[in-house]
Amino acid sequence: MEAIRVELPDGSIREVAEGISVFEVARSISEGLASQSVAAKVDGHLVDVSSTLDRDCRLELITLNSEDGLDVYRHSAAHLMAHAVKDLFGGEVQVTIGPSIENGFYYDFYSDTHKFTPEEFEKIESRMAELAKADLPIEREEMTRDSAIELFRQMGESYKVKLIEDLPNETVSLYRQGEFVDLCRGPHLPSTGKIKAFKLTSLAGAYWRGDEKNAMLQRIYATAFPDKKQLKAYLDKLEEARKRDHRKLGRELDLFSFNDEAGAGLVIWHPKGALLRTVLEDFERKEHLRRGYDIVMGPQILRTDLWKTSGHYENYRENMYFTEVDEQSYGIKPMNCLAHMLIYKSKKRSYRDLPLRFFELGTVHRHEKSGVLHGLLRVRGFTQDDAHILCTPDQLDGEIKGVLRFVQDVMKIFGFEYEMEISTRPEKSIGSDVDWERATSALMSALKDSGLPFEVNEGDGAFYGPKIDIKLKDALDRRWQCATIQCDFTLPDRFDLSYVGPDGEKHRPVMVHRVIVGAIERFVGVLIEHYAGNFPLWLSPVQARVVNVTDRQADYAREVTQLLREAGIRVDSDLRNEKLGYKIREAQIEKIPYMLVIGDKEVEEGTLSPRHRSGDSLNAMKPDEFIQLVQDECRLYH
RNA sequence: GCUGGCGUAGCUCAAUAGGUAGAGCAGCUGACUUGUAAUCAGCAGGUUGCGGGUUCAAUUCCUGUCGCCAGCUCCA
């Protein structure tokens, strides 16, 4: 038997016998490492710890401390769940696929006779626990496609048969634990006993292979962690996130509502929500003006012919609202670019005019499918902080970089984490190859210049151009697309936009379509969850509330309220005949940053005593001092 | 749009194996004049989302519709 050389991540080399298992190599390093290893990477490929080494290689042992390790763990937990389900429901249920996902895993089952219910979760969980306790070895087998197809056909697992039939491989791998066998690439844990903490969380429908034309499967979601403590921490975090749900806080803070009779996905902004939104919009206008944008406004409806010119009618008419008056058809705008194009066309443009940056807080309506609506995060009527930049090809790079900086500045103000993605040409698209390449490379170079990491989504672009998407992370760690930067070489063509160059010739301007926060509705929803309703002072719809101790101070309290209001502070007052503690409690629940207490002492001294929602009380101060304090605190943000 | 679940007072939730609904909070009235997260008492509040069907009787069962929730698909 020959010796082979195994290189470990620390650079050290081990000489071992050919045919040795990964587990044995780990054990030769330490018993602890051997028992902690759940898988390994051999020359970068994930394998089981039971796999053997037959040539010189690089070996990295994978433990539960790594993402790869957790992935293997959760994938094995998915098999454990499928095993338990097959044990309990046998021939009624067919297995399909069950991958690991962030924080857990799911498994899709098919059955035309059995409908899973959450009441069965406990039963499945305890069967899983029994199977884990039995510590069944998880063994890998390889066989030819044909024999695997035959095996699963005999077991009545037609979905597995379909999967194998679509695999290009000559041989496929199976994993067996006790009676249960599943088609799987692996790797897996060495035995079921390694699985210590899991919980079934929810039940949902999912299409076979994610295609809505296919059969609907029953998906069971679950979470799994290396130990019970981590599982509990995760479940606690989910609970905390539920408390921050913007739909719940939106009602509790009286920011907005929806109404069945008004229609689904249409936000009704209450006074405090509308004020919050107004503050955001004022912020937007200011930030755009100082970056050289022009504020413009277009109409809510435009003639349908114009949507045909733009290509939107062709591509998106199922999602547009239309209206007809005097035998004239109008489309309710699903986006704001058309009016901006018309502004550009309203006179002859010179290269000296460019770049033009038209900004509009534009309200649009899109008929989103009913099932996708979700609080403020996915609605049918919304307002974008939309702008269209028209520039020369030479200016494109600089403009895109400017927008990226803008996005970064704004995200910093709100303290958001985000991810960036670039999306390239989709199948359903218009425009020439040359244009697409030029636009894509402009976006790519701006991203590279920013020095921030980004992902590439091939074929995910808009029909009229490639784009950069920026996704925020909310309290539930869900990603929400907010900012987007989209190049567009086609709309200027369709509208025959031009400018006169230094050469006296007509040229086509380049167009960039971009939003910074995206839909204000969605952004407010994300903000509510981000801050758990505790908006920073500059954003808070109500910044302070004046509360009196008894009726005796009512007149002075009114005077102070008026004074602060005139100074531009968003203040209200609670002069009801209630105990101070009661009024404080209410203001606290409303998450108002400052409560201004006024009793006999304050009246006498001409002061007010602020209490912050954190519970801290400040010393009594003159109203002027409080105004200064608010102004200083607001300036901290931007 | 699809699959599954759900819809009772402003909110959170009870109740009915089919016999026309109840509590807390909020609201209103009164008393209390109160110093940093709930003063007490009383009153009022519902065609049980909406339409149709079965039934002596429907909030409960069936059906349609609207809406909500979870997920899938989608998101110019």
Side-chain angles (χ1 to χ4, degrees):
Chain A
M1 195 177 288
E2 308 236 336
I4 56 170
R5 290 158 56 85
V6 173
E7 186 186 338
L8 298 171
D10 63 5
S12 66
I13 307 276
R14 291 202 163 226
E15 299 247 342
V16 297
E18 183 188 338
I20 191 173
S21 74
V22 169
F23 180 77
E24 287 300 327
V25 177
R27 205 152 79 167
S28 77
I29 300 169
S30 82
E31 285 289 341
L33 184 60
S35 72
Q36 278 176 33
S37 297
V38 296
K41 268 187 182 168
V42 174
D43 289 333
H45 297 292
L46 273 172
V47 299
D48 297 302
V49 288
S50 62
S51 62
T52 53
L53 305 176
D54 54 8
R55 59 193 146 77
D56 292 354
C57 60
R58 280 176 295 117
L59 175 70
E60 186 188 340
L61 291 157
I62 306 288
T63 68
L64 294 181
N65 294 324
S66 70
E67 277 303 312
D68 282 336
L70 281 172
D71 235 40
V72 169
Y73 181 85
R74 288 170 176 150
H75 192 180
S76 294
H79 277 217
L80 185 66
M81 182 166 80
H83 188 173
V85 165
K86 286 300 285 183
D87 266 12
L88 293 166
F89 304 100
E92 279 203 90
V93 175
Q94 288 189 47
V95 291
T96 70
I97 58 159
S100 75
I101 52 174
E102 197 172 5
N103 297 315
F105 61 92
Y106 67 78
Y107 208 108
D108 285 347
F109 298 98
Y110 173 79
S111 176
D112 47 15
T113 51
H114 184 77
K115 293 255 179 289
F116 289 108
T117 65
E119 287 69 45
E120 289 164 344
F121 283 4
E122 215 170 298
K123 206 165 125 193
I124 297 170
E125 282 166 359
S126 47
R127 185 66 189 135
M128 287 170 74
E130 283 168 29
L131 293 168
K133 200 171 169 211
D135 199 17
L136 304 167
I138 303 176
E139 290 164 324
R140 182 186 173 97
E141 277 173 45
E142 294 192 0
M143 58 174 71
T144 62
R145 276 166 52 102
D146 292 346
S147 37
I149 288 173
E150 187 50 32
L151 176 69
F152 283 107
R153 183 165 289 146
Q154 276 172 18
M155 290 194 295
E157 298 289 0
S158 57
Y159 282 88
K160 285 292 172 192
V161 172
K162 282 188 216 174
L163 282 174
I164 302 170
E165 280 171 352
D166 288 350
L167 285 177
N169 321 35
E170 272 314 303
T171 61
V172 298
S173 58
L174 310 179
Y175 279 80
R176 195 181 284 278
Q177 54 193 56
E179 299 291 298
F180 179 76
V181 60
D182 200 355
L183 169 80
C184 187
R185 186 189 301 137
H188 279 281
L189 301 176
S191 69
T192 58
K194 296 267 183 197
I195 302 170
K196 304 290 189 193
F198 50 82
K199 186 174 170 53
L200 275 51
T201 52
S202 62
L203 202 52
Y207 300 107
W208 166 242
R209 295 198 160 156
D211 188 333
E212 61 185 323
K213 291 184 201 75
N214 288 342
M216 182 63 78
L217 307 171
Q218 299 181 62
R219 175 172 296 177
I220 300 179
Y221 280 93
T223 179
F225 283 86
D227 57 59
K228 296 226 158 67
K229 205 173 146 191
Q230 288 180 59
L231 175 66
K232 184 174 184 306
Y234 172 70
L235 294 173
D236 288 349
K237 192 184 135 200
L238 278 189
E239 183 56 34
E240 172 59 29
R242 265 190 281 276
K243 286 185 200 154
R244 290 171 172 238
D245 191 310
H246 75 281
R247 292 165 297 186
K248 181 172 136 71
L249 285 172
R251 187 178 53 240
E252 287 172 3
L253 302 180
D254 199 13
L255 299 175
F256 61 87
S257 64
F258 292 90
N259 185 291
D260 292 4
E261 292 174 280
L266 302 169
V267 187
I268 295 166
W269 292 95
H270 296 200
K272 283 183 203 161
L275 186 49
L276 170 64
R277 197 183 136 160
T278 302
V279 173
L280 257 181
E281 290 179 353
D282 288 347
F283 165 76
E284 292 262 19
R285 289 190 194 95
K286 196 177 100 192
E287 292 298 318
H288 279 83
L289 286 172
R290 56 185 265 210
R291 284 175 173 79
Y293 287 79
D294 297 315
I295 294 177
V296 299
M297 294 177 190
Q300 211 54 49
I301 59 176
L302 296 91
R303 282 173 52 183
T304 300
D305 286 346
L306 203 62
W307 296 110
K308 289 180 181 165
T309 305
S310 69
H312 291 98
Y313 186 84
E314 180 63 27
N315 288 280
Y316 291 102
R317 85 173 151 265
E318 326 78 70
N319 292 319
M320 284 179 67
Y321 293 95
F322 291 95
T323 181
E324 194 175 311
V325 177
D326 287 345
E327 292 172 36
Q328 185 62 246
S329 174
Y330 292 86
I332 297 167
K333 67 172 170 170
M335 46 186 5
N336 305 298
C337 31
L338 263 52
H340 299 191
M341 309 291 291
L342 299 179
I343 295 167
Y344 185 94
K345 271 178 82 96
S346 65
K347 64 180 185 184
K348 201 159 178 108
R349 302 289 179 178
S350 142
Y351 72 97
R352 295 175 193 276
D353 299 331
L354 304 184
L356 281 168
R357 306 187 188 98
F358 295 140
F359 170 69
E360 174 171 10
L361 284 163
T363 300
V364 298
H365 289 83
R366 298 177 184 178
H367 189 265
E368 304 287 1
K369 288 179 180 178
S370 60
V372 306
L373 301 175
H374 182 99
L376 290 180
L377 301 181
R378 193 78 183 271
V379 292
R380 285 182 173 154
F382 55 96
T383 300
Q384 299 174 302
D385 61 338
D386 203 0
H388 296 92
I389 298 171
L390 291 143
C391 62
T392 68
D394 289 348
Q395 292 168 330
L396 184 59
D397 253 33
E399 287 304 309
I400 291 169
K401 281 171 191 157
V403 176
L404 262 188
R405 270 196 302 276
F406 195 169
V407 172
Q408 287 169 36
D409 289 351
V410 170
M411 292 306 129
K412 197 171 160 202
I413 286 166
F414 294 101
F416 274 120
E417 284 183 43
Y418 55 93
E419 294 169 353
M420 300 200 293
E421 295 169 6
I422 178 165
S423 300
T424 58
R425 185 167 195 171
E427 280 179 30
K428 190 176 171 184
S429 63
I430 47 183
S432 74
D433 289 353
V434 180
D435 286 345
W436 273 87
E437 270 162 39
R438 190 168 55 184
T440 307
S441 75
L443 290 173
M444 201 69 95
S445 92
L447 277 174
K448 284 180 181 152
D449 259 38
S450 77
L452 296 166
F454 62 90
E455 278 182 37
V456 181
N457 290 336
E458 296 292 347
D460 231 19
F463 73 87
Y464 53 73
K467 60 178 181 175
I468 292 172
D469 286 331
I470 287 103
K471 294 183 176 175
L472 305 183
K473 285 166 88 171
D474 77 2
L476 283 159
D477 260 350
R478 288 171 303 196
R479 273 73 169 168
W480 290 100
Q481 186 197 302
C482 290
T484 172
I485 307 169
Q486 310 180 341
C487 287
D488 191 336
F489 286 89
T490 64
L491 224 42
D493 262 354
R494 285 176 167 259
F495 280 84
D496 194 27
L497 301 190
S498 67
Y499 63 89
V500 178
D503 53 3
E505 299 292 319
K506 266 170 75 169
H507 298 272
R508 194 67 88 207
V510 176
M511 182 177 180
V512 177
H513 169 113
R514 46 102 290 179
V515 294
I516 304 296
V517 308
I520 306 269
E521 283 75 3
R522 172 178 291 186
F523 194 67
V524 168
V526 175
L527 281 180
I528 290 170
E529 301 197 357
H530 183 59
Y531 293 123
N534 294 299
F535 299 111
L537 190 64
W538 75 274
L539 262 183
S540 284
V542 180
Q543 297 173 308
R545 170 168 295 167
V546 174
V547 289
N548 56 344
V549 179
T550 75
D551 285 346
R552 283 194 301 279
Q553 302 95 25
D555 284 342
Y556 174 72
R558 269 188 277 270
E559 219 174 281
V560 169
T561 306
Q562 189 54 29
L563 193 69
L564 298 179
R565 190 169 285 149
E566 279 168 15
I569 292 177
R570 298 187 292 276
V571 60
D572 66 11
S573 58
D574 182 356
L575 309 182
R576 289 175 304 171
N577 176 20
E578 294 287 352
K579 287 177 76 169
L580 181 62
Y582 181 82
K583 294 200 267 194
I584 295 281
R585 179 185 148 81
E586 289 211 337
Q588 196 71 40
I589 289 168
E590 290 176 49
K591 301 178 191 284
I592 295 171
Y594 286 104
M595 291 147 250
L596 309 176
V597 176
I598 288 174
D600 288 337
K601 188 167 74 78
E602 286 77 11
V603 174
E604 207 171 297
E605 295 170 354
T607 58
L608 47 84
S609 294
R611 175 194 197 275
H612 192 260
R613 66 183 162 200
S614 64
D616 297 338
S617 287
L618 279 63
N619 290 329
M621 59 180 73
K622 301 279 185 197
D624 281 350
E625 291 175 83
F626 182 69
I627 292 165
Q628 193 60 48
L629 182 149
V630 169
Q631 286 169 349
D632 289 347
E633 193 178 331
C634 287
R635 239 193 305 278
L636 283 178
Y637 292 93
H638 65 275

